[in-house]
């Protein structure tokens, strides 16, 4: 059997540096903070870290607006800290990937300052300039064209007005950005998470987007606000760029590249190329962020993922991030369901990506839009909150970015400051690492055990997947296998117990004490689950 590349069999933990651990008491998480908590992540058992941006930035979008890609925001630390972090991660046999924002810079970037000051000279078309806007709309809504007085023209910004899009049709721009990528690969980064990768190219002729009936963009369809986003998103040139990006990474060996993209699976899989070696190595397929907690939903999800991402591709399973609801909030705070969800995520065929705090079941905070630090809610503060809640939309992303809850002490052990950059969630007294460490059945310890099994059982990392038939309606079952090595996973998505026959040689994991197997019959209690070796 040939072994898969590491980036197809790893487990990923996402750290939002601002909220992970504050080492110097200024109320903001930092790189030394991550270093101090590396033992925690290692003991938990993740193999790869993805760190959200810590580069120089005015922090208008908390690091997704970068003013210098090769220096570090002082509140996070220094270049020495980054080098130390890379070394320490590698010393532990783990990998580290950075967050690369290719589509846009901050308006504070020197390239933009130069480009917006004159229509002539070297920098004149480093960004996307027009005398007159067309009908294109930005991701958060409203025209994405903004007037720059000094130059007397409009620039295009796919996201917020202070995040101008670079012009990749200018070969110098592409070169400069790929140089940024090489800079971090030279420093030892094991790859990148790629911010809104599918927006990089826009129509060269600036044709108006056609009308659409769709009101809001969704994970499966970036069209919205009554516009079909055909000239602004998922252009063939962006698929081609994925190939170029991969070539640069390949110069450095096996490097992970995971695209933040949106659109139907059959569209976004084009970012992976055709043969597993001529595109990005992974893409997020965000439809599953809106999961329904039923066996049927996850069965269909597996079918879909297996169809879209067969070998040599690999699906990604993700249920929350720094922009979306936390999975525990979606599950109504039911820890039994959270344990089952993560058991699914860590045993199905695919790379699991888990956002910090998910392992202890952190939930979304509720903050008023008017005082939000995130710029998005300010656009919508005139619409009553219940409208967004009813639509299940996270508008105020502060709510999913509250500090990590380490213990029941001051600021949940996140910081010694008088005030933290965002308030700690008020449930930190009972939801925190210290409390959960002591409880064998906690979500934290469940995830730790499952990660341990994932590292031990090569079948879980690399095996093919087959859905099992003839199970009770509430039960999802699948078998992972390589040659004659087989492992079956059986998960009960119902609050009532269920019994059925199942074959196996040995039970290697029970999610709940009421999950049993007597060599013939499986009994799963409420949200119970079991792993059988065949
Ligand atoms: C991505 C990031 C988000 C950021 C946006 C603009 O969606 O995940 O946090 O605001 O891109 O860079």
């Amino acid at each position: 059997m040939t072994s898969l590349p590491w980036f197809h069999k790893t487990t990923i933990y996402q750290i939002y540096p601002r909220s992970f651990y504050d080492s110097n008491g200024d109320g903001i998480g930092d790189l030394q903070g991550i270093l101090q908590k590396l033992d925690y992540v290692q003991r938990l058992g993740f193999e790869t870290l993805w760190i959200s941006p810590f580069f120089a930035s005015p922090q208008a979008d908390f690091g997704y607006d970068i003013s210098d890609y090769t220096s570090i925001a002082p509140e996070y630390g220094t270049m020495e800290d980054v080098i130390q972090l890379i070394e320490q991660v590698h010393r532990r046999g783990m990998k580290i990937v950075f967050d690369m924002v290719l589509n846009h810079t901050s308006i504070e970037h020197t390239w933009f300052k130069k480009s917006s000051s004159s229509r002539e000279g070297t920098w004149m078309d480093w960004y996307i300039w027009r005398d007159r806007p067309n009908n294109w709309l930005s991701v958060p809504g409203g025209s994405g064209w903004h007037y720059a007085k000094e130059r007397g023209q409009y620039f295009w910004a796919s996201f917020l007005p202070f995040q101008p899009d670079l012009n990749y049709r200018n070969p110098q721009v592409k070169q400069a950005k790929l140089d940024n990528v090489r800079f971090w690969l030279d420093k030892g980064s094991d790859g990148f998470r790629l911010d809104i990768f599918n927006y990089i190219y826009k129509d060269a002729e600036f044709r108006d987007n056609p009308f659409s009936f769709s009101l809001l963009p969704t994970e499966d369809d970036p069209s919205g606000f009554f516009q079909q986003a055909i000239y602004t998103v998922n252009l063939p040139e962006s698929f081609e760029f994925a190939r170029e990006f991969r070539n640069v990474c390949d110069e450095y060996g096996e490097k992970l590249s995971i695209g933040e993209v949106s659109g139907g699976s059959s569209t976004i899989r084009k970012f992976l190329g055709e043969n597993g070696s001529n595109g990005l190595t992974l893409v997020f397929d965000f439809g599953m962020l809106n999961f329904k907690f039923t066996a049927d939903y996850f069965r269909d999800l597996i079918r879909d993922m297996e169809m879209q991402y067969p070998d040599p591709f690999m699906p990604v399973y993700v249920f929350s991030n720094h922009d979306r609801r936390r999975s525990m909030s979606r599950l109504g705070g039911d820890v039994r369901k959270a344990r089952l969800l993560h058991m699914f995520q860590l045993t199905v065929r695919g790379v699991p990506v888990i956002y910090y705090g998910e392992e202890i079941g952190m939930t979304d905070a509720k903050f008023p839009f008017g005082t939000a630090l995130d710029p998005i809610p300010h656009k919508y503060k005139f619409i009553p909150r219940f409208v967004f809640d009813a639509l299940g939309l996270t508008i105020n992303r502060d709510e999913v970015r509250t500090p990590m809850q380490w213990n029941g002490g001051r600021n949940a052990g996140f910081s010694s400051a008088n005030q933290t950059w965002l308030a700690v969630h008020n449930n930190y007294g009972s939801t925190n690492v210290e409390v959960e460490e002591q409880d064998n059945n906690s979500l934290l310890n469940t995830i730790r055990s499952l990660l341990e099994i994932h590292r031990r059982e090569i079948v879980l990392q690399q095996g093919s997947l087959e859905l099992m038939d003839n199970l009770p309606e509430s039960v999802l079952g699948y078998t992972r296998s390589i040659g004659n090595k087989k492992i079956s996973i059986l998960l009960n998505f119902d609050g009532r117990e269920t019994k059925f026959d199942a074959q196996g040689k040995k039970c290697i994991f029970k999610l709940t004490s009421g999950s049993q197997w007597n060599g013939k019959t499986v009994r799963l209690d409420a949200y119970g689950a079991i792993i059988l070796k065949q």
Side-chain angles (χ1 to χ4, degrees):
M1 187 202 71
T2 54
S3 182
L4 294 183
W6 71 267
F7 47 68
H8 276 178
K9 51 188 185 188
T10 193
T11 51
I12 304 180
Y13 186 68
Q14 180 192 354
I15 292 181
Y16 194 70
R18 212 172 179 79
S19 293
F20 199 56
Y21 186 63
D22 171 17
S23 73
N24 62 358
D26 64 357
I28 298 175
D30 45 50
L31 293 163
Q32 280 298 329
I34 300 177
L35 272 155
Q36 289 180 27
K37 295 294 182 183
L38 274 188
D39 285 345
Y40 165 79
V41 185
Q42 185 181 22
R43 239 173 52 75
L44 193 50
F46 285 98
E47 289 150 285
T48 299
L49 298 183
W50 148 30
I51 320 279
S52 283
F54 47 77
F55 312 106
S57 159
Q59 306 291 344
D61 190 20
F62 296 109
Y64 286 93
D65 51 325
I66 298 171
S67 52
D68 182 353
Y69 285 74
T70 56
S71 64
I72 310 305
E75 60 264 62
Y76 293 142
T78 61
M79 188 61 85
E80 286 68 48
D81 295 331
V82 181
I83 303 299
Q84 200 187 342
L85 183 60
I86 296 172
E87 275 170 17
Q88 285 298 325
V89 168
H90 287 165
R91 190 163 298 167
R92 286 168 166 78
M94 293 158 65
K95 306 275 189 191
I96 183 162
V97 304
F98 293 161
D99 209 316
M100 185 48 76
V101 184
L102 294 168
N103 178 70
H104 50 267
T105 68
S106 155
I107 42 169
E108 297 294 322
H109 198 293
T110 49
W111 297 342
F112 187 73
K113 288 188 181 159
K114 290 178 182 157
S115 191
S116 58
S117 65
S118 170
R119 294 190 194 197
E120 275 149 40
T122 319
W123 311 94
M124 65 183 195
D125 58 356
W126 274 54
Y127 292 82
I128 300 171
W129 294 101
R130 296 261 294 165
D131 288 335
R132 216 162 287 129
N134 61 7
N135 79 343
W136 294 353
L137 298 174
S138 67
V139 180
S143 172
W145 292 103
H146 309 282
Y147 192 65
K149 232 178 169 178
E150 213 181 330
R151 178 163 164 152
Q153 275 185 316
Y154 292 83
F155 65 88
W156 170 251
S158 295
F159 210 70
L160 290 161
F162 51 79
Q163 291 162 312
D165 283 30
L166 286 158
N167 174 19
Y168 277 77
R169 297 187 188 276
N170 175 345
Q172 284 175 310
V173 171
K174 197 196 285 183
Q175 202 46 52
K177 290 311 296 171
L178 291 175
D179 284 350
N180 290 160
V181 168
R182 287 198 176 88
F183 176 90
W184 287 111
L185 289 170
D186 282 330
K187 293 258 184 279
S189 164
D190 296 300
F192 303 94
R193 177 263 188 188
L194 298 164
D195 193 69
I196 56 172
F197 193 86
N198 56 332
Y199 283 80
I200 288 179
Y201 279 88
K202 275 64 64 171
D203 184 43
E205 293 165 37
F206 298 98
R207 281 170 283 188
D208 275 348
N209 275 332
F211 174 82
S212 142
F213 283 104
S214 88
L215 172 62
L216 291 173
T218 62
E219 284 72 17
D220 305 333
D221 183 3
S223 299
F225 310 113
F226 302 107
Q227 190 168 105
Q228 223 181 318
I230 56 171
Y231 293 126
T232 38
V233 190
N234 293 331
L235 267 75
E237 293 93 323
S238 293
F239 303 136
E240 178 53 37
F241 183 56
R243 187 193 304 258
E244 287 179 61
F245 188 87
R246 174 65 173 268
N247 287 342
V248 171
C249 287
D250 282 352
E251 291 166 20
Y252 291 79
E254 274 184 7
K255 297 290 173 182
L256 182 151
S257 49
I258 181 166
E260 188 206 21
V261 293
S262 53
S265 309
S266 56
T267 303
I268 61 177
R269 57 162 287 169
K270 293 187 190 154
F271 287 105
L272 300 176
E274 299 85 34
N275 58 18
S277 54
N278 61 357
L280 303 184
T281 66
L282 297 162
V283 286
F284 287 112
D285 198 328
F286 282 143
M288 69 182 82
L289 288 172
N290 301 320
F291 65 86
K292 289 198 187 68
F293 193 76
T294 65
D296 275 351
Y297 173 86
F298 288 102
R299 196 174 301 118
D300 288 348
L301 178 64
I302 289 180
R303 277 201 190 107
D304 202 35
M305 292 296 112
E306 288 297 297
M307 195 175 80
Q308 300 295 348
Y309 307 100
D311 186 47
F313 306 110
M314 184 62 84
V316 173
Y317 282 85
V318 63
F319 298 115
S320 68
N321 62 35
H322 62 292
D323 297 323
R324 306 304 172 91
R325 289 185 83 181
R326 286 190 173 273
S327 62
M328 188 58 122
S329 291
R330 211 175 272 281
L331 294 170
D334 192 332
V335 70
R336 300 171 305 172
K337 293 183 180 174
R339 295 168 75 218
L340 194 73
L341 177 76
H342 288 104
M343 175 156 169
F344 165 76
Q345 190 180 20
L346 292 167
T347 54
V348 69
R349 177 184 163 269
V351 172
V353 182
I354 298 188
Y355 183 45
Y356 85 92
E358 290 291 286
E359 73 274 25
I360 52 169
M362 277 174 64
T363 51
D364 300 352
K366 219 163 198 185
F367 298 135
F369 283 13
T371 50
L373 300 179
D374 180 13
I376 305 261
H378 293 280
K379 273 181 93 82
Y380 295 103
K381 58 183 168 212
F382 303 109
I383 303 177
R385 159 114 209 197
F386 68 84
V387 176
F388 300 108
D389 288 349
L391 293 167
L393 296 174
T394 304
I395 295 293
N396 184 0
R397 296 173 299 171
D398 294 352
E399 297 178 348
V400 303
R401 297 171 177 177
T402 56
M404 176 68 176
Q405 295 164 202
W406 296 103
N407 57 47
R410 181 191 176 86
N411 297 323
F414 161 71
S415 165
S416 60
N418 286 333
Q419 205 181 352
T420 53
W421 82 281
L422 274 180
V424 171
H425 196 294
N426 58 18
N427 67 6
Y428 74 94
S430 51
T431 302
N432 68 56
V433 173
E434 206 172 276
V435 163
E436 294 199 26
E437 293 273 10
Q438 281 143 30
D439 171 3
N440 279 341
N441 288 323
S442 66
L443 182 55
L444 180 73
N445 279 322
T446 304
I447 290 182
R448 176 174 294 141
S449 306
L450 287 162
L451 282 165
E452 204 251 310
I453 297 175
H454 192 280
R455 287 198 310 281
R456 197 178 65 212
E457 301 291 345
I458 187 173
V459 187
L460 288 184
Q461 299 160 26
Q462 310 205 35
S464 60
L465 180 148
E466 210 173 308
L467 283 164
M468 293 162 73
D469 299 323
N470 302 323
L471 294 169
E473 217 182 295
S474 68
V475 176
L476 171 66
Y478 42 91
T479 301
R480 306 283 315 273
S481 49
I482 299 179
N484 56 5
K485 279 200 174 101
K486 284 190 196 312
I487 285 183
S488 299
I489 296 100
L490 293 150
L491 311 134
N492 179 19
F493 281 82
D494 200 283
R496 279 162 304 183
E497 107 165 39
T498 177
K499 269 191 193 153
F500 51 96
D501 286 349
Q503 288 183 345
K505 285 206 181 91
K506 195 178 157 200
C507 170
I508 59 166
F509 182 76
K510 293 176 190 170
L511 185 65
T512 53
S513 53
S515 306
Q516 281 160 18
W517 177 68
N518 62 9
K520 187 172 175 295
T521 308
V522 171
R523 172 178 178 271
L524 298 178
D525 58 350
Y527 311 115
I530 207 162
I531 303 182
L532 301 178
K533 243 190 186 163
Q534 302 293 343

